[in-house]
Amino acid sequence: MSKSEVADMIGVGRYTRRQVAHVFLGGFLVIMLFVLGSRNTSTMHAPSDDVRVSEVINIGLQLLKEAGKTVVVHRYEGVQAKKVKGLTKEGKKEFVTQGDLKSHRILYGNLQATFPGINIVSEEHDGDYPSAQSVALSGALDEELVEAITKNGDSIVSQSDLTVWIDPLDATQEYTELLDQYVTVMMCVVFKGQPIAGLMHFPFEGVTFWQWREHHFSKSFSDVAVRKKSRSRVLKAIVSRSHAGEVNRTLHRTFGKNVRVIPAGGAGYKVMQLVNGRADMYVHSTAIKKWDICVGDSMLRHVGGKMATLQGELLDYRDPAKFIVTDGFLAVARRSAFDDIYNKLTY
């Protein structure tokens, strides 16, 4: 039997090699389309222990909203079950509520499970809850994040170079007093000691603001950010309503009638008053924790403002053991105004 007869018997004609080539080419294209399709911006992960900063922010945004729901749901329970967890240097009571702890459980546990190589620092302690409250997380990127990456690109970094500071419930004092407008849930992404992204969620308003370096902002943040210099001769200074210390007297002694002091709760809330132009400076003269101010510091650094200690030093967030800023700080909305205000303040 000839070769052509054998070919006819098994259904292969004289174009067998071409057909086989077509089959292999078609299979290769199908495989490539599958691989490329699986690498879209919503699901692509960095190799090995590296991570895309967009992924950390994306997961953080989801967790902040889930934690915020918990803060709202357990508000009255939290108020009734509040406990004193310690005293400040000035002898003020520091409270912790169920809202603080349940929010911590969502944020800390899920971040640690998702990014095991990142150092997570929380105001509360993971010992308060032996296991995380698992949250169903989406791999799809937030639409505003996709837009930011499209315009300005992403960053791939080693997880070991990142530290995430979280404040499960900022303004706990006000939370127990039902002053909801001051309450935030915050997460700050730090690269080699320097804050690069700040995420702030107002749970009772249902609004989230976020910033990622100089070029990535949520629309909500851009909508409220004021970049024009105030024409008023009277400086508006926002200060802590519960930890004012000597700052009130110092401000009036320094600026006289040319300052209006605005007491408010929550470090996150106060920084947003700088961002939206309702305050010119935020002065804090007593000790404060870095999870309270990391988000605000990041936001101000990247919108033309500045935050520094009352010794004039920029803050570093690399070492979780050094979480207390002992000598207070000054924050301003415009970097150009910092030196003038700082030099006039006398502590």
Side-chain angles (χ1 to χ4, degrees):
M1 184 179 293
S2 68
K3 291 183 179 179
S4 61
E5 289 174 328
V6 173
D8 288 338
M9 287 180 63
I10 62 176
V12 180
R14 59 180 176 176
Y15 299 109
T16 298
R17 292 182 179 177
R18 182 180 298 174
Q19 290 172 334
V20 170
H22 286 172
V23 170
F24 276 104
L25 179 60
F28 176 76
L29 289 174
V30 169
I31 292 172
M32 288 303 296
L33 286 172
F34 174 79
V35 171
L36 291 174
S38 66
R39 293 183 62 194
N40 58 56
T41 56
S42 65
T43 59
M44 184 164 52
H45 292 265
S48 65
D49 291 332
D50 291 345
V51 65
R52 292 181 179 274
V53 175
S54 62
E55 290 184 48
V56 180
I57 295 173
N58 191 56
I59 295 299
L61 289 172
Q62 296 178 59
L63 291 176
L64 285 188
K65 292 173 184 177
E66 288 300 319
K69 293 176 185 177
T70 295
V71 167
V72 173
V73 167
H74 295 281
R75 194 260 300 274
Y76 292 105
E77 174 191 345
V79 171
Q80 295 171 358
K82 70 179 181 180
K83 298 178 181 179
V84 177
K85 66 177 180 179
L87 299 175
T88 67
K89 184 179 179 181
E90 297 73 37
K92 296 272 189 178
K93 293 180 180 179
E94 289 190 308
F95 294 105
V96 63
T97 70
Q98 288 300 304
D100 293 89
L101 297 177
K102 291 180 183 293
S103 176
H104 161 79
R105 187 181 185 186
I106 290 173
L107 293 169
Y108 186 88
N110 286 279
L111 283 170
Q112 192 175 58
T114 308
F115 306 108
I118 296 178
N119 192 10
I120 314 296
V121 187
S122 174
E123 176 176 5
E124 310 307 335
H125 305 289
D126 63 323
D128 295 321
Y129 284 97
S131 60
Q133 180 177 320
S134 181
V135 173
L137 298 169
S138 170
L141 284 183
D142 178 269
E143 290 183 3
E144 290 185 323
L145 268 178
V146 173
E147 182 179 353
I149 293 170
T150 301
K151 290 181 178 179
N152 303 293
D154 204 340
S155 299
I156 298 178
V157 300
S158 171
Q159 291 194 38
S160 62
D161 286 331
L162 291 180
T163 304
V164 172
W165 293 76
I166 55 176
D167 191 342
L169 198 166
D170 187 37
T172 299
Q173 174 71 44
E174 286 70 28
Y175 182 66
T176 65
E177 298 174 13
L178 307 185
L179 298 173
D180 302 335
Q181 70 272 25
Y182 297 126
V183 176
T184 60
V185 182
M186 298 190 289
M187 170 179 149
C188 184
V189 182
V190 172
F191 177 68
K192 294 184 177 180
Q194 302 304 304
I196 59 172
L199 289 63
M200 185 186 303
H201 179 61
F202 284 79
F204 291 97
E205 285 73 27
V207 179
T208 305
F209 302 96
W210 62 264
Q211 151 280 322
W212 174 15
R213 291 195 181 276
E214 293 87 348
H215 306 297
H216 302 64
F217 302 98
S218 65
K219 185 177 184 301
S220 57
F221 189 92
S222 297
D223 285 347
V224 302
V226 175
R227 307 182 191 279
K228 294 182 180 180
K229 180 179 179 180
S230 173
R231 295 181 179 180
S232 175
R233 293 183 178 180
V234 177
L235 291 170
K236 293 167 289 188
I238 196 161
V239 303
S240 171
R241 62 183 290 272
S242 56
H243 303 283
E246 296 292 321
V247 69
N248 285 329
R249 284 185 290 274
T250 300
L251 286 168
H252 285 295
R253 182 175 65 242
T254 304
F255 299 102
K257 296 181 179 180
N258 293 323
V259 67
R260 180 164 69 91
V261 177
I262 307 169
Y269 175 90
K270 289 192 277 291
V271 166
M272 285 308 301
Q273 301 312 293
L274 295 178
V275 172
N276 64 28
R278 294 175 184 164
D280 301 300
M281 68 176 108
Y282 171 15
V283 187
H284 192 92
S285 62
T286 58
I288 192 168
K289 313 295 175 52
K290 288 183 179 178
W291 46 68
D292 291 314
I293 58 177
C294 184
V295 168
D297 190 1
S298 183
M299 289 180 168
L300 290 174
R301 289 190 191 203
H302 301 299
V303 294
K306 183 177 179 179
M307 178 184 290
T309 71
L310 294 178
Q311 301 300 317
E313 300 174 349
L314 293 177
L315 294 158
D316 186 282
Y317 300 87
R318 191 189 314 266
D319 188 353
K322 299 178 180 178
F323 60 88
I324 301 178
V325 179
T326 58
D327 53 356
F329 67 89
L330 167 66
V332 297
R334 292 182 299 107
R335 188 176 288 110
S336 59
F338 183 89
D339 289 343
D340 182 53
I341 295 175
Y342 177 79
N343 290 334
K344 289 178 180 177
L345 287 173
T346 53
Y347 283 91

